[in-house]
């Protein structure tokens, strides 16, 4: 494969429906508030660091069943975080 000025010389082989779907996702993310997205990313990262630590701690101290409960709670909190980040961007 040859590269010229940072661009690939082969033509794009994406299907038309893939290009249309990428355009839809790009439009959805452009409408979002960048500050809220940054806060959501930080909150999500902190949530998963805390959740992994709690899964390990609960797994050793209480048993694997409680570790699964912590993991499922983290997934639910991640969904709430995603809905919070979306806000009113789909009006």
């Amino acid at each position: 494969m040859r590269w010229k000025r940072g661009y690939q010389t082969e033509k794009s082989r994406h299907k038309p429906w893939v290009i249309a779907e990428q355009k839809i996702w790009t439009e959805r993310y452009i409408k979002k508030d960048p500050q809220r997205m940054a806060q959501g990313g930080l909150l999500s990262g902190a949530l998963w660091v805390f959740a992994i630590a709690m899964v390990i701690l609960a797994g050793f101290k209480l048993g694997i069943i409680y570790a699964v409960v912590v993991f499922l709670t983290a997934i639910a909190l991640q969904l709430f975080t995603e809905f919070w980040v979306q806000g009113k961007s789909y009006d």
Side-chain angles (χ1 to χ4, degrees):
M1 228 184 283
R2 294 183 55 160
W3 292 86
K4 185 175 183 179
R5 296 184 188 181
Y7 296 103
Q8 198 171 5
T9 57
E10 293 183 8
K11 67 178 183 176
S12 175
R13 299 190 188 279
H14 288 88
K15 301 286 184 192
W17 62 271
V18 172
I19 294 171
E21 194 166 309
Q22 287 176 344
K23 183 179 177 185
I24 291 170
W25 279 102
T26 303
E27 289 173 359
R28 286 182 181 172
Y29 279 105
I30 286 174
K31 292 180 183 177
K32 293 187 179 184
D33 181 21
Q35 183 179 5
R36 184 174 266 199
M37 286 182 66
Q39 289 174 347
L42 289 172
L43 185 61
S44 177
L47 168 71
W48 284 106
V49 167
F50 181 73
I52 289 170
M54 290 306 295
V55 164
I56 292 170
L57 184 66
F60 282 129
K61 295 288 185 180
L62 303 174
I64 192 69
I65 298 299
Y66 294 103
V68 170
V69 170
V70 170
F71 183 70
L72 293 176
T73 304
I75 292 173
L77 290 173
Q78 177 65 36
L79 290 174
F80 286 127
T81 303
E82 288 295 322
F83 286 127
W84 177 75
V85 168
Q86 286 182 1
K88 296 182 179 181
S89 63
Y90 294 117
D91 291 343

